[in-house]
Amino acid sequence: MDLFGCRLRERGEVLGLSNAEVARRAGVEQRRYGHYVTARREPDLATLVRLAEVLQTTPNVLLGLEEGEKIDLAQDRLLAAF
C-alpha cells in the first residue's frame, strides 16, 4: 500500500470511520474507495478534495506533501460522532 492509501486508512481510523462510511460521505462507491486505499487507482482532483473534507484534513496531507498536525485521537473521535 502506498502513502496515500495509508493516510486514507489512518485518518478514517482516527475519526472512527469505516471505509464504507468515508466512501458514502464522499459520494463515491465503496469499491472505488477501496481501490484508492489499496493503491490500485488514484482519485481525480474533485474526489481528492471531497475525501480530504470528509477526513478533516487537506489534500496535501493525504498525498504526503506535508505533515498533518498532531491530533488528539479522543477529540477527533468525538467530533466525528456529530
Side-chain angles (χ1 to χ4, degrees):
M1 188 180 322
D2 73 341
L3 181 61
F4 177 67
C6 286
R7 295 229 172 156
L8 288 175
R9 183 174 300 244
E10 288 170 1
R11 283 301 298 166
E13 288 174 1
V14 165
L15 296 173
L17 300 173
S18 67
N19 284 349
E21 183 61 17
V22 173
R24 186 190 67 76
R25 290 183 184 190
V28 298
E29 293 179 14
Q30 184 177 347
R31 183 175 177 153
R32 183 175 168 196
Y33 182 75
H35 287 300
Y36 301 152
V37 172
T38 59
R40 287 187 213 134
R41 297 195 180 214
E42 296 177 353
D44 60 25
L45 182 59
T47 303
L48 175 62
V49 170
R50 285 195 317 269
L51 291 171
E53 289 173 354
V54 168
L55 295 170
Q56 301 174 9
T57 190
T58 66
N60 283 350
V61 170
L62 290 178
L63 294 171
L65 300 175
E66 62 185 52
E67 287 297 316
E69 60 185 83
K70 301 299 179 203
I71 52 176
D72 178 1
L73 300 180
Q75 181 181 3
D76 265 8
R77 285 191 183 107
L78 180 62
L79 291 174
F82 289 101

